[in-house]
Amino acid sequence: MGTRSLTYVYGGDRETKPLVCMYRQFDGYPSGHGQELIDFLKPIKLVNGLGHDEKRKVANGMGCLAAQLIANFKTEPGQFYLYEPGLEQDSGQDYEYHIFDHGIDVKDYYGKTIFSGDYEEFDSFCKEE
């Protein structure tokens, strides 16, 4: 039996609707999927418009970030799937990751928030799990 998770990417802050919902079949716990998420997210700088000779790793808004996240994780058949982004999604998930423009929230199987903070704090949280 896998540790299932859902990852939601929102269009901005916590008041916006999710743009995408990605289901992961196994390794969804914070020291697994959570750590892989933060390793992907930390180096990316969110920008509003691209320069012609941009040297940093950037995402041109949250929609661009969501597309890059999917491309990063979905490299073969199985394991990752896209679901219609709905806040009441029930996939038997053990964890939910909610990614916003300035942070991340994590909920457990019971819907209880077990983490809410910025990327640096989340990196520490994942390493402690």
Side-chain angles (χ1 to χ4, degrees):
M1 183 105 174
T3 303
R4 297 176 293 270
S5 66
L6 295 174
T7 301
Y8 292 93
V9 179
Y10 293 77
D13 62 22
R14 286 167 174 78
E15 303 304 315
T16 61
K17 293 182 180 180
L19 299 170
V20 68
C21 175
M22 183 176 72
Y23 169 78
R24 183 170 186 166
Q25 183 69 34
F26 56 86
D27 293 339
Y29 44 87
S31 61
H33 183 63
Q35 188 64 57
E36 290 176 15
L37 268 177
I38 199 59
D39 290 345
F40 167 78
L41 291 168
K42 273 180 60 175
I44 297 177
K45 169 84 171 150
L46 274 177
V47 297
N48 184 10
L50 298 171
H52 70 283
D53 61 344
E54 185 66 60
K55 303 286 189 239
R56 303 172 293 178
K57 187 170 183 180
V58 299
N60 191 17
M62 292 301 287
C64 183
L65 179 74
Q68 289 182 48
L69 182 128
I70 292 164
N72 179 74
F73 282 96
K74 185 65 176 176
T75 59
E76 60 188 5
Q79 170 75 322
F80 293 96
Y81 302 88
L82 292 181
Y83 289 168
E84 183 176 342
L87 295 177
E88 298 301 320
Q89 184 71 38
D90 183 6
S91 301
Q93 66 270 20
D94 298 286
Y95 295 96
E96 289 183 9
Y97 299 88
H98 298 265
I99 300 170
F100 307 97
D101 56 358
H102 294 297
I104 187 166
D105 292 349
V106 181
K107 296 182 180 186
D108 67 9
Y109 176 81
Y110 303 103
K112 178 183 173 208
T113 300
I114 60 171
F115 175 84
S116 182
D118 65 27
Y119 293 168
E120 290 296 326
E121 295 167 324
F122 184 58
D123 192 14
S124 297
F125 173 79
C126 290
K127 286 177 173 52
E128 293 171 2
E129 285 292 302

